[in-house]
Structures are given as C-alpha cells and as structure tokens.
Amino acid sequence: MKPVLYRTRPAIFWCAFLALAGGLGQGLAAQEGRGLTLLEEAGERYRNLRGFCADFEQELYVPLLRETTRSAGTLCQEKPNLFAMRFTEPLGDVLLADGESFWVYYPSSDPRQVLQFSMEAQPGGVDFHREFLDAPGDKYELFYGGEELVGGLPTHLIELKPLQPSGFREASIWLDSQRSLILRARIGMEDGSVRTVTLSKIQLDPPPDSRRFQFSPPDGARVIRRQ
C-alpha cells in the first residue's frame, strides 16, 4: 500500500496546484474585466459632458533629486480638445491646449521661455481624462485594486500599464464610486518621476468662457516650438 500512496501524492498535489493556478487566473481576469468596465462607464459619463472644471492639488516626486514639490490651482477641460491647468501655487504656471497648440509656461522656473507643442505631440499623461477614458481596453493592461477613500469619498482604484509607448510607465486612477468621475490620478513617468493629481470641487458643464482656454506668450519670452 505504501508504494501506491507514494505514487499518487504528487498527482494529488499537482491537481491541487492546477486548480489553484486556474482560480488565480480567473481572479486576475475578473479584476481586469472589472477595471475595464469601470473605466468604460466613466468614459461614457465623460462623453456625455461638455466639460468640467475643478480645483487640483499636485505632488511631483523626482527621484534623481530625492525631492517632492507640491502645487495647486484650477483645471478645466472642454470638448473636443481644450484643456487648461492654471497654477496658483506657484502662481502663473500654465499648461494649456487651445485646440491648435499645447502650451507649457513655467515662469516659476524660467519666465523667459515658453514651449509650444503640436496637439498631436502634447506631453503624455497631462490630459488624463482623455488619456485614460478613451478606449482604455485598447491601450492598457488593467488591474482592479479595490476600494479606497479620497477626500472622504469612496472610490475604485484601477492600475494601468500602457501596451504601447505612452511617455509614462504606469498609472493609477481613483474613480468616484457614485459619480464615475476621476478624483485622483498618479502617473509614473519614464524617467522615474511620479506625478499625483487630486481633484476637488468638481463642476460639471460650467458656463462657457472663451478666456478659459486662451494663452498668449508674454512679451520678451522665447517660444520654443516642438513637433
């Protein structure tokens, strides 16, 4: 009897391992599926909006400098391709898409230089609503990370890894469980820096204001155009 038991135990253990592995695979697939479903629901919600404005707080960690900088301001988006991130801390810094160009102006570091990108070449991970809610299943490997509180509100955490080069290595977003709105986005850039943006006081479809998405380089500033 002992030899028989000895021969069958490995088979029993192997079957148990296969069952466990199968269960893990199904669990990962379910997590990926849930993450995609939540992002698609948020994308549908966003497509039904003309735009939004919100206050933001941002943290930028730069490992090379071992330094974390914090900033704040207002962020607005409007369809089809308008975006404005205006800083109050540091005062005057701007990231803005006016429909024809994407502008980057950081007077806090260099008041005499303005970067102008084509809309197609705008920095990756800046407009994270367009980045993460437009066909996410085609662009990312997704993982559902569970529920967390952001600003006292329940959210769904979703981890994303780009399937193609995107200017960043990975990202995490927190979706409002009730409204399917992005409340926080954390983006790990290719150089190792990590940018975290948290939104509050979100106003959906604010009254139109033509000045909201206008930018003119200051007199004397050098405009560097990048395609």
Side-chain angles (χ1 to χ4, degrees):
M1 295 298 295
K2 288 184 178 179
V4 174
L5 289 173
Y6 180 80
R7 287 195 299 270
T8 57
R9 279 176 181 167
I12 293 172
F13 293 155
W14 181 242
C15 290
F17 172 77
L18 288 177
L20 177 60
L24 289 173
Q26 292 174 358
L28 291 174
Q31 290 172 331
E32 182 174 357
R34 187 174 187 191
L36 177 58
T37 297
L38 290 168
L39 284 182
E40 289 178 337
E41 290 175 353
E44 185 64 26
R45 174 71 185 275
Y46 183 67
R47 280 190 291 274
N48 290 329
L49 299 174
R50 185 185 70 255
F52 78 96
C53 287
D55 292 347
F56 75 84
E57 294 181 351
Q58 176 174 263
E59 289 187 1
L60 178 63
Y61 172 66
V62 181
L64 183 63
L65 303 176
R66 296 183 180 179
E67 181 179 85
T68 298
T69 58
R70 294 174 174 83
S71 55
T74 59
L75 184 152
C76 291
Q77 289 186 239
E78 189 172 305
K79 295 177 181 178
N81 53 7
L82 302 177
F83 175 89
M85 199 171 184
R86 298 183 183 273
F87 292 74
T88 55
E89 300 176 24
L91 184 62
D93 285 5
V94 178
L95 296 170
L96 186 142
D98 60 13
E100 296 181 359
S101 297
F102 190 95
W103 303 90
V104 178
Y105 180 47
Y106 289 149
S108 60
S109 57
D110 189 347
R112 294 169 295 181
Q113 177 176 286
V114 176
L115 299 180
Q116 181 184 12
F117 296 84
S118 67
M119 291 296 293
E120 294 75 16
Q122 63 178 291
V126 175
D127 180 352
F128 47 79
H129 283 79
R130 183 177 181 182
E131 189 80 53
F132 301 136
L133 301 184
D134 183 14
D138 296 336
K139 297 188 293 187
Y140 302 105
E141 178 183 356
L142 305 169
F143 178 79
Y144 179 70
E147 298 182 1
E148 293 187 6
L149 291 178
V150 173
L153 297 174
T155 68
H156 297 290
L157 169 60
I158 302 171
E159 311 281 355
L160 308 94
K161 289 189 177 182
L163 298 175
Q164 302 293 334
S166 303
F168 57 94
R169 295 182 292 108
E170 59 188 9
S172 304
I173 64 171
W174 285 258
L175 288 176
D176 187 321
S177 300
Q178 302 298 319
R179 300 178 294 170
S180 294
L181 301 174
I182 294 179
L183 297 185
R184 176 176 291 163
R186 179 173 296 149
I187 302 168
M189 307 304 290
E190 293 287 356
D191 62 3
S193 62
V194 179
R195 186 167 66 96
T196 304
V197 179
T198 302
L199 302 181
S200 61
K201 299 180 181 178
I202 299 175
Q203 182 183 9
L204 304 179
D205 289 337
D209 186 345
S210 60
R211 299 169 299 177
R212 191 175 287 144
F213 304 103
Q214 291 179 354
F215 176 80
S216 297
D219 292 339
R222 178 190 177 196
V223 177
I224 301 175
R225 293 178 173 82
R226 296 184 175 178
Q227 300 300 321

